[in-house]
């Protein structure tokens, strides 16, 4: 592989990392940073899905006659 091609690939990778990772983090709107705009919505969706999963497991336990192995954690709300 020619040296110029390797250099081009390295420069392209560095440029992509800058534009898609470093630049958004410096502006403060990186999706991976805590406190980003999407945290509240994502947290709400996760809580909804966890509650749905808890309900489904409880229904399955009732239908099969089994008791859950450990008590369900208290829900905050």
């Amino acid at each position: 592989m020619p040296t110029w091609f390797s250099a081009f690939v390295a420069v392209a990778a560095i440029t992509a990392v800058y534009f898609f990772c470093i630049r958004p983090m410096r502006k403060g709107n990186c999706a991976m940073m805590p406190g980003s705009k999407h945290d509240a919505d994502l947290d709400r969706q996760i809580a909804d899905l966890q509650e749905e999963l808890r309900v489904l497991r409880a229904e399955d336990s009732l239908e099969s006659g089994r008791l859950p192995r450990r008590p369900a954690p208290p829900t905050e709300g």
Side-chain angles (χ1 to χ4, degrees):
M1 180 178 337
T3 305
W4 64 268
F5 185 72
S6 299
F8 175 76
V9 169
V11 168
I14 291 169
T15 302
V17 167
Y18 175 77
F19 278 106
F20 295 110
C21 297
I22 296 172
R23 191 169 144 228
M25 281 193 301
R26 291 183 73 192
K27 289 183 175 183
N29 60 357
C30 179
M32 299 302 291
M33 291 177 59
S36 71
K37 300 174 205 169
H38 303 291
D39 276 351
D41 186 43
L42 183 62
D43 288 343
R44 184 186 54 76
Q45 288 178 349
I46 290 173
D48 291 344
L49 290 172
Q50 287 175 337
E51 178 64 18
E52 182 180 354
L53 184 60
R54 188 191 65 77
V55 168
L56 290 172
R57 285 182 177 158
E59 288 175 356
D60 182 51
S61 294
L62 288 174
E63 289 174 1
S64 66
R66 292 178 297 151
L67 293 175
R69 284 178 268 193
R70 56 188 161 137
T75 58
E76 296 178 21

